[in-house]
Amino acid sequence: MNTTAKKGHARVDVADALRGFSVLAIVLLHAIEHFNFYHFPDAASRGWLAAVDTGVWQSLFFLFSGKAYAIFALLFGFSFFIQHDNQRMRGHDFRLRFCRRLLVLFVIGNINACFFTGEILVTYALVGFVLVLTCRLSDRTLIALGALCLLQPVCLYYTARLLADPSFLPPAVDEGPLWAATFAAQSGGSFLETVRVNLWEGQLASLAYAWNHGRIFQTAGLFIIGMLTGRRGWFLRPALPYWGRALAIAIFCYFPLDSMHASAMELPNAALSFQLGMLLKSLANMCLMVMWVAGIMFAFYCSVRPARVLSALIPYGKLSMTNYVTQGIAGAAIFYHWGLGLQAGVGPDGVDECNNRAAELLRLPHQPQGLAVSGGAWHPEIAPDVLLRRPALAGADDGDGPPVVQRDPAQNGPVLPAEAVAVLFKKVGEQRADIIGDIGPLGVTGRRHPLGRRQFAHVRPPLSWRRSSRDNVSRSRLRGTTASTKPCPSWYSAR
């Protein structure tokens, strides 16, 4: 008896190239979206750059939005078939093991969600059980189920109801408060607060969006079609004629669908416009997805130079899960408030002003997104160590007046001018605990009030350095950097 297990399926390079292409396109879309943090500069202040931004945005969304995600979902079903069929040829049932893998994927998705609110791995983990239920059905049954899911049965039902009764309001999950909570955490929350919001409101918002916009059924349909694609061997070179026919059908169907979608968006009934527009847009995106897949298939198998370029994506595609999770973490660290916070702050048209907040991860203890004020009332804390973190900038912030304020002193006494004092930084790592002390203009009034009668100005040096250990630096000590306004015993005059 031959006990040697049959050899499994060889790895399909074009599938890895397609997977790398889809993940790279998803990263590009997430980058211009600021990783689901829709906070952008005012278009009026950018001039001609606003037109460039609009052109780039519309071009990338036309090329990749809804298409790269569809390719990624298609290949998810294809990968399941490869694993399932390899185990079948060895005499094992892969379904239980795949269920365990879906649970692991659910955990990985929630870890990714701690950083990035728009992740899709949790949705894949939940919808992926449809593959376990359908993997042993016939090809015809799979084609019927896949087509039904791609035709959005719930959307079709709501459209039929609206055509029969225009006053019908389709039920939908209210995403607004959920996205508002995630935006608030992204804008000003600490890292732990962002994690808490992302794991609850963020995940609910993502799932609600997937349901309201037909992504649940579309994902299930793409999983099934991807599994059928692997079963039929459509990613191999002999299947190129089938992709040629699919490409012709997709081109023929795309333009009427896109035109009908534009017309549907002009319907006076908002509910009907949304449901019908969503259905037509989804089908048009599927046509463009087929164009991308067919074009990459022909380029990979039928040409030399494009094949070399696509081959460079194969290593990236083999690590698609790692790359997808990593890009979410890196993007959130760049744009969200708990990280570098590049969505706000200093811009070409000004400075984003905000109030004092608590110290946060990777932030120095000064006003976030603000500029350090000149020496005087309400001076922010001066950080003793700026290694690998962002120091305060030298300038005036909100709530603090100009360094010289013209006032009428008591008893017509002279008032000395106040001068702004910028932070003097040492080389990073050279002075570990230098702080600025005794900052203040010469002889100014405290808290922006005139000197009391029969009081002399206490002249103090405008800037002095003193050494202090990190443990002795306290927030109260650092805040008390204004010029003294109390009479000094050595400066009293006879009453």
Side-chain angles (χ1 to χ4, degrees), residues 304-328:
V304 177
R305 291 184 179 179
R308 291 177 181 174
V309 175
L310 292 171
S311 296
L313 296 175
I314 292 177
Y316 189 79
K318 289 180 178 179
L319 298 174
S320 58
M321 181 69 68
T322 302
N323 292 325
Y324 178 80
V325 174
T326 303
Q327 60 91 16

Side-chain angles (χ1 to χ4, degrees), residues 214-286:
R215 286 290 181 92
I216 300 297
F217 283 98
Q218 188 183 64
T219 302
L222 289 168
F223 283 0
I224 294 173
I225 298 300
M227 180 174 59
L228 182 63
T229 300
R231 184 183 293 185
R232 291 291 187 92
W234 286 346
F235 281 129
L236 303 177
R237 181 188 290 270
L240 285 180
Y242 297 104
W243 284 109
R245 298 171 193 170
L247 177 61
I249 295 173
I251 294 174
F252 178 79
C253 294
Y254 171 75
F255 295 100
L257 288 171
D258 186 66
S259 178
M260 287 188 291
H261 169 260
S263 300
M265 300 308 294
E266 301 297 330
L267 294 175
N269 189 325
L272 179 61
S273 175
F274 176 78
Q275 295 295 331
L276 190 57
M278 180 178 65
L279 172 62
L280 295 172
K281 185 64 175 179
S282 173
L283 295 176
N285 284 339
M286 292 303 100

Side-chain angles (χ1 to χ4, degrees), residues 404-415:
V404 179
V405 180
Q406 184 176 1
R407 294 181 182 274
D408 294 327
Q411 297 179 347
N412 295 324
V415 175

Side-chain angles (χ1 to χ4, degrees), residues 165-190:
D165 181 13
S167 62
F168 171 71
L169 292 178
V173 182
D174 188 8
E175 309 170 36
L178 299 174
W179 289 121
T182 60
F183 184 83
Q186 293 164 348
S187 303
S190 64

